[in-house]
């Protein structure tokens, strides 16, 4: 609830979007359906997803928030999760009149499966990001085109993060690499002269400057547009 409240405040103060009561699933659905296309949409969607709790298995019937179902269970997925087999085993025991696994056994199993899937997802995303960073590195080394359209997704006192639209990865732009002297003012980095700023939702053109292979972070600099 606290993260949803923080997101609602962010959407209101940054983009002037009134989310309504996000603790209500119907309001969440209406909020997502009514988001207009534009530079703010991917920023809001990304921030909204980060405010939601991670999916997890439970030994109790807690429903499925996304599907809007009060009663929900895994049964047979295309990748044959072990959670599916656990349900099959319980139904088999029930059909045979045998003793079911206890609530404690199912609780331990749910926690184990939740942790295992989180580890799997983290490994997948990390490997995927490394492949994209390697692609960027090879492109840079080969002297390929080095200009990327991006959306500012987060502003910090030392720079800003941006999503590289075509690659689906995030890069960092240091405040020291911005053209001129900048300072943070609320949710934006503003030049000392006040003529230029970078705020969440802005489209920017960036060029790759370096890749930190240890931290798996791509460093970018703004492209200077010649008039």
């Amino acid at each position: 609830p606290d993260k949803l409240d923080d997101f609602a405040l962010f959407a209101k103060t940054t983009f002037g979007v009134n989310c309504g009561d996000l603790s209500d699933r119907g309001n969440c659905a209406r909020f997502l359906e009514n988001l207009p296309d534009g530079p703010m949409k991917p920023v809001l969607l990304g921030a909204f997803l980060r405010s939601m709790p991670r999916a997890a298995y439970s030994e109790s019937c807690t429903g499925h928030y996304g599907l809007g179902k009060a009663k929900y269970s895994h049964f047979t997925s295309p990748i044959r999760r072990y959670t599916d087999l656990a349900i099959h085993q319980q139904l088999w025991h029930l059909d045979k009149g045998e003793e079911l696994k206890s609530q404690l056994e199912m609780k331990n199993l749910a926690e184990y499966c939740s942790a295992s899937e989180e580890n799997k997802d983290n490994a997948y995303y990390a490997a995927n990001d490394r492949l994209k960073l390697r692609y960027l590195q090879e492109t840079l080394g080969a002297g390929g085109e080095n200009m990327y359209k991006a959306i500012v997704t987060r502003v910090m006192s030392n720079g800003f993060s941006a999503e590289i639209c075509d690659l689906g990865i995030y890069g960092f732009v240091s405040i020291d690499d911005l053209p001129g002297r900048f300072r943070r003012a609320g949710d934006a980095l503003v030049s000392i002269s006040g003529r230029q700023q970078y705020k969440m939702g802005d489209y920017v053109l960036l060029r790759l400057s370096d890749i930190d292979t240890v931290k798996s972070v791509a460093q970018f600099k703004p492209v200077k547009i010649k008039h």
Side-chain angles (χ1 to χ4, degrees), residues 2-227:
D2 291 340
K3 287 187 176 182
L4 284 175
D5 288 342
D6 290 342
F7 168 76
L9 180 62
F10 156 74
K12 180 68 175 177
T13 56
T14 306
F15 296 106
V17 175
N18 188 0
C19 304
D21 180 12
L22 292 179
S23 64
D24 179 80
R25 183 182 175 277
N27 283 337
C28 279
R30 284 187 288 275
F31 161 69
L32 295 173
E33 288 172 0
N34 294 327
L35 274 179
D37 291 329
M40 75 172 183
K41 186 172 184 176
V43 177
L44 283 171
L45 286 176
F48 177 72
L49 286 174
R50 288 192 294 274
S51 72
M52 302 292 285
R54 184 183 178 87
Y57 296 112
S58 171
E59 75 283 5
S60 303
C61 184
T62 56
H64 193 294
Y65 184 84
L67 295 178
K69 300 295 183 182
K71 295 182 179 180
Y72 171 86
S73 174
H74 268 246
F75 183 72
T76 300
S77 74
I79 61 174
R80 299 294 185 269
R81 290 184 175 94
Y82 186 72
T83 45
D84 304 330
L85 297 180
I87 300 299
H88 294 174
Q89 291 165 2
Q90 288 289 75
L91 292 173
W92 178 266
H93 293 322
L94 184 67
D95 189 50
K96 293 292 184 179
E98 299 171 352
E99 185 177 359
L100 301 178
K101 286 185 173 66
S102 68
Q103 281 286 96
L104 180 59
E105 287 179 286
M106 295 301 286
K107 179 177 183 295
N108 292 335
L109 180 62
E111 292 175 351
Y112 173 79
C113 289
S114 296
S116 296
E117 289 207 6
E118 182 174 0
N119 288 337
K120 180 263 295 179
D121 287 345
N122 289 340
Y124 168 78
Y125 292 127
N128 196 33
D129 286 345
R130 281 190 174 274
L131 286 174
K132 292 177 181 178
L133 290 176
R134 180 181 298 176
Y135 165 78
L136 283 175
Q137 197 168 35
E138 291 175 351
T139 302
L140 182 64
E145 184 178 349
N146 187 10
M147 187 181 296
Y148 302 93
K149 190 176 183 181
I151 300 175
V152 178
T153 56
R154 184 183 177 196
V155 173
M156 297 152 282
S157 57
N158 62 336
F160 64 81
S161 295
E163 182 180 1
I164 311 303
C165 303
D166 292 337
L167 298 177
I169 64 171
Y170 290 89
F172 178 73
V173 178
S174 171
I175 194 171
D176 296 329
D177 291 325
L178 298 180
R181 295 173 57 201
F182 282 75
R183 60 181 176 82
R184 183 173 181 179
D187 291 322
L189 292 176
V190 182
S191 64
I192 299 301
S193 65
R195 299 179 199 169
Q196 191 174 5
Q197 68 173 0
Y198 296 92
K199 65 181 185 304
M200 286 183 287
D202 283 351
Y203 276 112
V204 291
L205 284 177
L206 304 176
R207 65 177 179 85
L208 180 66
S209 60
D210 189 31
I211 292 180
D212 188 331
T213 54
V214 176
K215 296 181 179 179
S216 295
V217 175
Q219 303 275 353
F220 289 85
K221 292 182 180 180
V223 173
K224 294 182 180 179
I225 307 296
K226 295 182 180 180
H227 296 284

